[in-house]
Amino acid sequence: MADQRVAIVTGAARGIGAATAKRLAADGFAVAVLDLDEANCADTVKAIEAEGGKALAVGVNVSEREAVEAAVERVANELGAPTVLVNNAGITKDNMLFKMTDGDWDAVIAVHLKGHFLMTQATQKYMTQAKYGRIINLSSTSALGNRGQANYSTAKAGVQGFTKTVAIELGKYGITCNAIAPGFIETEMTAATAARVGISMEDFKNAAASMIPVARVGQPEDIAHTVSFLASEGSGFVSGQIIYVAGGPKD
């Protein structure tokens, strides 16, 4: 339909991003599925199209300005002007502080912080023109501090400050900006963490669940449900917030 809203989800080839893209498509959005390798987006796009939705796969390195601007322009030309942005793309390069390299630090900061900045900057012009927008950034409970993640924790804390500032600057244009901070979510990324620390994924999950008040670990769909609300018209008075989706309270 001509007035179908367009959403962009970065890091949408798998995990939280894929679940989010599928949920937004189910909510009626045309969804741009962005990831580093366009070919890897095929499964998410096929899943959306199989349910009658509309999706477009776009390959982009979110930490490179020219690539981001070209990707967003392509989305605007092929799907329509984007008025919802989910900044989900992320990487981890975990290590203890004394072993962390410049490369480990720079790569994580670039994808998370510069990536969020570039994607938001490139899409906000469409939102300000429409006098409507929803920007949803992915932070993490690691923003509160997490052993072996000085780079990731710093980036995710930075995302929270970025979120609040964007909310202040763009609010008068009908644009909200919020962050979701997931706790333990069962994804390939958490499986990689389990492998790094040398325990089975099942033991890793059980240990995490034992410390979570709702007594289970999270699924990508738990985050997608929260994104769905924040991307909706009904969330218009919620802005500049950090929502911990972690099965219990976080400070």
Side-chain angles (χ1 to χ4, degrees):
M1 58 187 179
D3 61 349
Q4 185 176 29
R5 291 203 189 279
V6 175
I8 293 176
V9 183
T10 68
R14 61 186 63 81
I16 289 171
T20 295
K22 293 171 192 174
R23 174 59 195 263
L24 291 178
D27 289 344
F29 290 93
V31 182
V33 178
L34 274 59
D35 213 286
L36 190 58
D37 186 342
E38 188 169 317
N40 289 341
C41 300
D43 288 347
T44 304
V45 170
K46 286 176 186 172
I48 289 170
E49 291 177 342
E51 295 296 323
K54 188 174 183 180
L56 171 71
V58 181
V60 62
N61 181 337
V62 296
S63 68
E64 295 179 358
R65 175 173 291 280
E66 288 185 5
V68 165
E69 291 176 350
V72 173
E73 186 174 356
R74 183 182 165 199
V75 172
N77 290 337
E78 297 187 32
L79 282 185
T83 53
V84 171
L85 170 65
V86 182
N87 280 313
N88 169 72
I91 61 171
T92 55
K93 288 188 177 292
D94 297 349
N95 223 328
M96 297 302 290
L97 181 64
F98 75 97
K99 291 195 287 187
M100 188 169 287
T101 67
D102 287 2
D104 293 338
W105 178 271
D106 292 345
V108 171
I109 296 298
V111 172
H112 293 274
L113 286 181
K114 191 175 183 185
H116 279 46
F117 161 63
L118 292 176
M119 286 299 305
T120 303
Q121 193 176 61
T123 55
Q124 59 85 30
K125 66 178 181 181
Y126 296 101
M127 299 181 193
T128 53
Q129 287 168 5
K131 295 290 191 289
Y132 179 90
R134 299 285 184 264
I135 299 164
I136 300 139
N137 299 321
L138 268 291
S139 180
S140 169
T141 54
S142 292
L144 303 171
N146 198 30
R147 182 180 175 87
Q149 290 194 316
N151 49 3
Y152 188 76
S153 296
T154 299
K156 290 305 194 182
V159 165
Q160 298 189 9
F162 178 71
T163 296
K164 291 174 183 290
T165 300
V166 171
I168 291 167
E169 290 190 13
L170 300 185
K172 64 183 178 182
Y173 300 105
I175 301 167
T176 65
C177 184
N178 293 285
I180 297 171
F184 190 111
I185 307 295
E186 187 176 357
T187 64
E188 289 179 23
M189 192 177 278
T190 47
T193 301
R196 177 176 61 82
V197 298
I199 64 174
S200 74
M201 184 58 177
E202 203 60 31
D203 287 344
F204 196 41
K205 283 167 52 181
N206 289 339
S210 71
M211 296 184 287
I212 297 172
V214 300
R216 69 171 177 88
V217 299
Q219 299 299 318
E221 290 74 19
D222 290 311
I223 306 305
H225 292 316
T226 309
V227 172
S228 176
F229 166 67
L230 292 174
S232 71
E233 291 189 17
S235 68
F237 205 54
V238 179
S239 197
Q241 300 306 303
I242 315 302
I243 301 175
Y244 285 91
V245 183
K250 295 290 179 180
D251 298 321

